[in-house]
Amino acid sequence: MKWFACELHTHTLHSDGSQTLGELAAGAANLGFDAIALTDHNTMSGLSGKAEIERKYGLRIIPGMEWTTFYGHMVTIGLSAFADWRQANRDGIDAGIENVHRLGGIAGLAHPFRIGSPACTGCFWEYEIGNWSAVDYIEVWSGTFPSIQTNNRRAFDLWTHKLNEGYRISATSGRDWHAQGETDDPISVTYLGIEDDAVAGNGGSTALSLHEETLIQALREGRASVTIGPLLTLTLEAGDALYAIGSTVPTVVERREAAEDPVRANLTLDFSVRTGLWSLQKQVCRLKLCSNLGEELNLEVPSSSDEQMMQFEAQLRDSTPDIPRRWIRAELWGTVRGVDVLIAFTNAIYFEEGGYPR
Amino acid sequence: MKLLDLQGYASPKDSKTHIRIPFELEEGCVKLNLRLQYTPKTLRLLKESYDLYILPEHREYAIANADRHLPLKNLITLSLDDARGYRGACHRQDEVQDLYVSDREASPGLMAGELVPGPWSVTLSLHCIVTDTCTYRLEVWTTEEDSI
């Protein structure tokens, strides 16, 4: 799996941003991004000139649009045509998501707990979602230094709650990037995982060797890991098979005699990503495995200052039959700017046994 | 040629509504011009509240920390549909917006392309009206081939 650094929520002067697509792309390339999604409010006119800008900065630009509506902001990416955002009913968003899907796109809740009307109409998610299975992702981290913000903690909790209920929803970060300008705040990255064979031949590990649909598919399938520092990844090993983030461990594998063939978790912390563009003070961090059963593992791990890759292994305990394990994810916690915060988290690996309300 | 000059008044109860304004575009238009303006833009009430109710020594702190969302703003945005479908939106805070679309060019947010004759519409989206009254005015006019 190759991991591509993405920024999935951006604006230009085609809505209320104060940057051109070229300025945005230049800024993103400087920050080590491989791809961005342009998600202007209610328009896609800003994509004009996209191909040339992609070539100039070696950066993939995914077409998108933020539905900026009265009852919520919904980021949509990968649509082949326009889907109308001008529905006003609070119980009408399911039809809207269906339209996005029909046009080949995916939809996510943008900053669902940011303060709403009259400070920012629609910024707080007030739609009543009838079918949570249709929601592709939740932007659980919004803005810079996102993990410190209480509204993002609520969004993260919403995601966890939905995973506990059995839904399979991806989680992303989005800067909601409106302008160029220096910031000292930690910047979050959503890494999308691409199967090695989906990265085009000729040694191409650059983003331009990827079709935008490949990136969207990765997010659709939950192959995403979010961080303000090192790249955190997780795989599970069970019954001679390897399960990556976003995949599902089948019941038949899960039910094997656990004593003979336990499920092993492999965790990797890669400190070499986006070298020089972030830093973490020297400290002992906590690497966790969390699931609907609670905190399953809590390892003390050193932070690395020499860009190395660290690997850790753990064995999952048996889940009791009455409370099946539905999902599991990895989290990295530590001190940033003097505050104990979540530094990185993976999307979930799911368990078929745990049921699925789709 | 003038197609529309419409003035309206909105109040807080009109928040979160769309106003769809249809018009007919005739053959021969090479540039469609739109001007949206609304006033007032901001609600000053809170500033006055601070002056009235907050001790002078605390005011600076209160204002500094409220600034992220204040002053409260009216927000009306414009989106455009031609006889075939969506032509984009201009979602921004500016209370005066001079916009146009033509075959080759358009204001940011709108999409350039053929100006097909037939039924068009402007949709005004009243995201938030925080003042007792907000006056808006929408003008639409065309520039024809022979006037260039």
Side-chain angles (χ1 to χ4, degrees):
Chain A
M1 192 94 77
K2 285 196 166 66
W3 295 91
F4 289 84
C6 303
E7 168 51 66
L8 298 170
H9 189 156
T10 69
H11 297 282
T12 67
L13 42 77
H14 282 258
S15 57
D16 59 351
S18 54
Q19 54 192 348
T20 63
L21 184 58
E23 288 162 350
L24 170 63
N30 280 336
L31 288 174
F33 286 103
D34 299 304
I36 57 170
L38 178 63
T39 52
D40 265 319
H41 300 285
N42 300 334
T43 186
M44 293 175 74
S45 63
L47 287 161
S48 154
K50 159 175 130 69
E52 194 185 323
I53 294 167
E54 284 180 309
R55 275 194 303 276
K56 184 169 176 191
Y57 296 103
L59 181 91
R60 186 53 85 208
I61 299 169
I62 305 168
M65 188 176 100
E66 183 175 9
W67 283 36
T68 304
T69 75
F70 305 147
Y71 302 107
H73 290 191
M74 184 167 82
V75 266
T76 68
I77 57 175
L79 282 79
S80 59
F82 169 73
D84 206 327
W85 55 276
R86 291 168 293 190
Q87 48 180 316
N89 297 338
R90 282 177 70 168
D91 57 2
I93 199 63
D94 293 275
I97 296 174
E98 225 176 283
N99 275 337
V100 171
H101 288 166
R102 199 174 299 129
L103 294 166
I106 60 175
L109 277 54
H111 48 67
F113 294 97
R114 192 186 293 175
I115 189 166
S117 195
C120 180
T121 299
C123 283
F124 189 99
W125 186 273
E126 294 176 289
Y127 281 115
E128 291 151 20
I129 295 175
N131 177 18
W132 275 95
S133 294
V135 173
D136 297 290
Y137 63 105
I138 301 174
E139 187 184 84
V140 298
W141 277 6
S142 174
T144 55
F145 199 3
S147 50
I148 201 173
Q149 294 178 33
T150 49
N151 61 339
N152 286 331
R153 290 185 192 192
R154 288 178 74 182
F156 195 89
D157 289 347
L158 169 70
W159 175 48
T160 304
H161 181 68
K162 289 298 159 191
L163 294 178
N164 285 343
E165 286 182 342
Y167 295 100
R168 293 176 181 178
I169 299 176
S170 306
T172 63
S173 64
R175 179 162 170 182
D176 205 348
W177 199 359
H178 281 75
Q180 291 298 310
E182 292 292 310
T183 177
D184 289 337
D185 283 352
I187 287 166
S188 70
V189 180
T190 302
Y191 282 93
L192 294 179
I194 307 298
E195 305 286 354
D196 292 328
D197 56 9
V199 180
N202 55 17
S205 61
T206 70
L208 292 191
S209 64
L210 287 177
H211 194 273
E212 59 205 34
E213 176 53 35
T214 310
L215 287 164
I216 292 157
Q217 186 63 14
L219 179 53
R220 187 185 276 126
E221 293 176 5
R223 290 197 304 279
S225 186
V226 179
T227 184
I228 53 172
L231 168 63
L232 174 61
T233 56
L234 167 70
T235 54
L236 293 183
E237 215 178 317
D240 299 328
L242 205 60
Y243 299 91
I245 296 169
S247 62
T248 303
V249 179
T251 305
V252 59
V253 173
E254 203 186 335
R255 278 202 180 152
R256 284 175 175 226
E257 283 302 315
E260 286 171 23
D261 193 9
V263 179
R264 281 178 304 278
N266 302 310
L267 293 133
T268 305
L269 268 174
D270 186 350
F271 285 82
S272 73
V273 292
R274 295 176 63 250
T275 313
L277 293 167
W278 57 274
S279 65
L280 207 56
Q281 70 188 71
K282 203 167 161 49
Q283 61 182 299
V284 175
C285 297
R286 279 157 295 126
L287 184 57
K288 299 183 181 185
L289 278 177
C290 299
S291 77
N292 56 306
L293 306 177
E295 196 174 291
E296 298 207 27
L297 178 81
N298 191 336
L299 280 178
E300 294 201 333
V301 302
S303 64
S304 160
S305 51
D306 54 3
E307 297 165 22
Q308 60 173 324
M309 177 108 102
M310 294 182 188
Q311 291 187 311
F312 307 90
E313 268 186 39
Q315 196 167 306
L316 293 196
R317 63 167 190 253
D318 292 345
S319 65
T320 53
D322 50 325
I323 316 173
R325 190 185 276 112
R326 287 185 156 164
W327 60 271
I328 195 162
R329 70 169 174 245
E331 300 179 3
L332 181 72
W333 288 79
T335 303
V336 178
R337 305 279 162 95
V339 188
D340 183 43
V341 291
L342 184 58
I343 295 169
F345 62 91
T346 68
N347 271 237
I349 296 175
Y350 303 99
F351 294 84
E352 194 181 9
E353 174 84 345
Y356 186 23
R358 186 169 294 201
Chain B
M1 185 174 71
K2 199 127 205 152
L3 297 184
L4 265 179
D5 186 353
L6 179 143
Q7 187 160 315
Y9 301 91
S11 70
K13 69 174 169 41
D14 299 311
S15 294
K16 301 186 178 180
T17 59
H18 300 286
I19 302 170
R20 190 174 162 276
I21 303 156
F23 62 93
E24 194 75 19
L25 191 70
E26 288 179 8
E27 203 88 45
C29 169
V30 295
K31 186 178 177 192
L32 183 70
N33 310 278
L34 307 106
R35 178 169 232 250
L36 168 66
Q37 45 190 321
Y38 59 98
T39 187
K41 178 63 193 173
T42 54
L43 177 65
R44 293 287 168 199
L45 190 64
L46 273 161
K47 169 77 173 71
E48 286 158 20
S49 307
Y50 285 169
D51 293 345
L52 274 174
Y53 305 124
I54 296 178
L55 290 171
E57 62 266 35
H58 294 159
R59 240 171 250 160
E60 195 185 344
Y61 179 85
I63 291 168
N65 285 278
D67 253 12
R68 206 175 144 211
H69 305 298
L70 295 177
L72 295 177
K73 298 182 191 83
N74 288 331
L75 177 62
I76 300 179
T77 64
L78 177 153
S79 53
L80 181 67
D81 290 77
D82 69 15
R84 293 172 186 163
Y86 196 62
R87 286 297 281 263
C90 300
H91 187 96
R92 39 190 170 264
Q93 292 287 346
D94 308 53
E95 67 262 48
V96 179
Q97 294 193 32
D98 274 305
L99 309 165
Y100 73 96
V101 273
S102 74
D103 206 7
R104 300 252 171 126
E105 290 179 329
S107 303
L110 301 178
M111 284 174 282
E114 195 187 341
L115 300 182
V116 278
W120 284 54
S121 64
V122 166
T123 301
L124 297 183
S125 298
L126 280 55
H127 291 264
C128 194
I129 305 297
V130 290
T131 55
D132 289 343
T133 331
C134 177
T135 309
Y136 59 86
R137 183 178 180 187
L138 173 71
E139 294 161 271
V140 180
W141 69 98
T142 58
T143 311
E144 281 82 21
E145 199 92 55
D146 48 11
S147 66
I148 285 187

